[in-house]
């Protein structure tokens, strides 16, 4: 039997954890009792600098059952870094790890299929939503647009997959060999290679608490993913620059001809062209600045996380 770690990033999950932790504990105990995983398997709760009593809840769970362990990051580092911290900690303690959110919107019963896929030889197993029927029309359409946009920009990503996945120990080692500071794990995982599989599941409502990914944060996450894995936006700027220059030249010639034979262009027409050009230039500068900012962060090589406290029996 191989050892499984459930790695659960937690940020302000004081309300959700008491309920979701019971389901996680029941699931892991069931897997252990039927011999699917080792009794050394654990649920690793990673406190990502929560502002509420999440760490107190994790400490209480650690005292209540030997199957719980905890990590406390020194400050909030974001979901991706908290997940990486958990996987880094679990790597030398497990044979496989499954990452999932503390709200348990992702069906925990799919874990059985994850483990089966692992024993069939898969190093990475992606949890993929079977449908988006429970989403609002806006979220369903925006999610579809997100995956189409990512694919159009050349990002290798599994559609309708978030961060619900199983990784073997050697897949985690492969993940940790990627040294970038700007993390987009959904894009990194397919880059690792190794045999992979897919498990389809239903997504539920949160058991408690509020979503940590409002629209603004999701848009920023999508933009980070694109700029972390594709230089096509830069190439697009170059193409737009050439096209706009050509169009500007044609427009200028047209206006000159019109001014000679028909009428003198109004100041409003000229001002509109100027503002259009300035808008495109500012957008281009902004996109280039995003890449420069990422280079700046990468060059500094600051730690992606710092662990303040461990709750472990090993």
């Amino acid at each position: 039997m191989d050892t499984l770690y459930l790695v659960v990033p937690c940020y302000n999950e004081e309300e959700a954890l008491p309920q979701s932790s019971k389901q996680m504990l029941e699931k892991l105990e069931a897997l252990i009792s039927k011999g699917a995983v080792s009794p050394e398997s654990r649920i690793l709760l990673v406190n990502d600098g929560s502002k509420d009593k999440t760490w107190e809840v994790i400490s209480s769970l650690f005292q209540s059952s030997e199957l719980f362990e905890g990590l406390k990051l020194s400050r909030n580092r974001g979901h991706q870094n908290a997940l990486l911290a958990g996987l880094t900690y679990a790597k030398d303690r497990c044979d496989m790890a499954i990452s999932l959110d503390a709200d348990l919107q992702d069906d925990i019963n799919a874990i059985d299929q994850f483990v089966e896929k692992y024993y069939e030889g898969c190093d990475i197993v992606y949890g993929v939503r079977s449908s988006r029927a429970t989403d609002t029309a806006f979220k369903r359409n925006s999610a579809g647009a997100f995956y189409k946009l990512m694919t159009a920009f050349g990002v290798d990503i599994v559609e309708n997959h978030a961060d619900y996945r199983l990784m073997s120990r050697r897949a985690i080692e492969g993940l940790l060999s990627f040294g970038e500071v700007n993390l987009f794990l959904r894009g990194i995982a397919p880059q690792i290679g190794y045999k992979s599989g897919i498990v389809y599941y239903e997504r539920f409502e949160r058991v408690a608490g509020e979503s940590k990914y409002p629209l603004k944060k999701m848009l920023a996450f999508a933009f980070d993913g694109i700029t972390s894995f594709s230089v096509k936006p830069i190439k697009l700027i170059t193409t737009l620059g050439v096209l706009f220059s050509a169009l500007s030249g044609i427009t200028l010639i047209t206006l000159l001809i019109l001014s000679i034979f028909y009428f003198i262009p109004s100041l409003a027409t000229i001002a509109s062209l100027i503002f259009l050009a300035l808008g495109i230039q500012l957008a281009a500068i902004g996109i280039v600045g995003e890449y420069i900012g990422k280079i700046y962060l990468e060059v500094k090589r600051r730690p992606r996380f710092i662990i303040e406290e461990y709750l472990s029996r090993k």
Side-chain angles (χ1 to χ4, degrees):
M1 292 182 293
D2 287 349
T3 301
L4 167 68
Y5 262 62
L6 301 181
V7 179
V8 189
C10 305
Y11 178 68
N12 292 345
E13 297 290 358
E14 175 187 357
E15 295 180 28
L17 266 182
Q19 300 178 54
S20 61
S21 62
K22 292 180 182 177
Q23 297 179 52
M24 287 186 273
L25 182 60
E26 289 173 359
K27 173 54 64 179
L28 187 58
E29 287 177 335
L31 289 169
I32 292 172
S33 64
K34 70 178 185 180
V37 299
S38 164
E40 297 299 312
S41 300
R42 296 290 182 268
I43 302 167
L44 177 62
L45 304 171
V46 184
N47 181 38
D48 183 25
S50 298
K51 297 177 181 178
D52 61 4
K53 296 182 180 179
T54 295
W55 183 243
E56 285 81 353
V57 174
I58 293 174
S59 300
S60 176
L61 291 170
F62 175 73
Q63 296 297 329
S64 67
S65 171
E66 64 176 10
L67 295 182
F68 285 107
E69 293 187 351
L71 287 184
K72 182 181 182 183
L73 303 190
S74 61
R75 56 181 287 270
N76 178 251
R77 295 295 301 167
H79 178 273
Q80 300 289 279
N81 284 299
L83 179 52
L84 186 71
L87 292 172
T88 302
Y89 175 85
K91 175 178 69 70
D92 296 325
R93 296 169 170 80
C94 71
D95 298 294
M96 54 180 154
I98 296 176
S99 54
L100 67 161
D101 292 338
D103 56 24
L104 289 191
Q105 285 186 274
D106 299 321
D107 185 6
I108 196 171
N109 292 314
I111 289 177
D112 297 74
Q113 298 175 64
F114 277 87
V115 174
E116 289 174 8
K117 290 282 187 182
Y118 166 79
Y119 284 122
E120 289 172 6
C122 291
D123 283 284
I124 303 175
V125 183
Y126 300 101
V128 175
R129 293 182 62 173
S130 56
S131 74
R132 288 187 172 271
T134 57
D135 288 350
T136 62
F138 173 78
K139 187 160 186 181
R140 188 162 52 248
N141 292 327
S142 61
F146 166 76
Y147 288 107
K148 286 183 176 64
L149 186 64
M150 296 291 280
T151 302
F153 278 108
V155 182
D156 187 8
I157 189 170
V158 178
E159 188 171 353
N160 288 325
H161 165 69
D163 285 301
Y164 191 23
R165 76 177 70 86
L166 176 146
M167 301 184 78
S168 67
R169 179 186 293 178
R170 73 168 184 165
I172 297 173
E173 290 172 346
L175 172 66
L176 297 180
S177 68
F178 288 76
E180 57 246 55
V181 174
N182 299 282
L183 289 175
F184 186 68
L185 298 179
R186 301 182 200 183
I188 294 176
Q191 303 295 319
I192 297 171
Y194 299 140
K195 183 179 178 180
S196 64
I198 289 177
V199 168
Y200 294 96
Y201 69 93
E202 293 289 335
R203 188 169 172 84
F204 307 122
E205 296 294 326
R206 286 179 61 90
V207 295
E210 299 179 352
S211 172
K212 306 301 183 297
Y213 275 91
L215 177 61
K216 182 179 179 182
K217 202 167 183 179
M218 285 299 295
L219 290 174
F221 187 63
F223 191 65
D224 280 343
I226 292 170
T227 53
S228 293
F229 281 87
S230 175
V231 294
K232 283 192 176 181
I234 296 288
K235 295 179 180 179
L236 181 60
I237 290 173
T238 304
T239 303
L240 286 175
V242 172
L243 290 174
F244 189 78
S245 297
L247 288 173
S248 297
I250 294 170
T251 303
L252 179 60
I253 294 171
T254 303
L255 290 175
L256 286 173
I257 294 172
L258 290 174
S259 66
I260 294 172
F261 295 101
Y262 297 99
F263 68 93
I264 298 174
S266 66
L267 289 176
T269 302
I270 297 172
S272 298
L273 290 172
I274 292 173
F275 282 124
L276 176 61
L278 286 175
I280 293 176
Q281 286 178 345
L282 289 174
I285 291 171
I287 292 174
V288 173
E290 181 70 21
Y291 281 96
I292 293 173
K294 288 186 180 298
I295 294 170
Y296 173 67
L297 293 173
E298 294 293 342
V299 168
K300 288 192 294 185
R301 308 304 301 164
R302 288 181 176 175
R304 292 175 287 192
F305 57 85
I306 297 175
I307 297 175
E308 179 179 336
E309 189 176 344
Y310 299 87
L311 293 177
S312 175
R313 294 177 175 83
K314 295 183 180 180

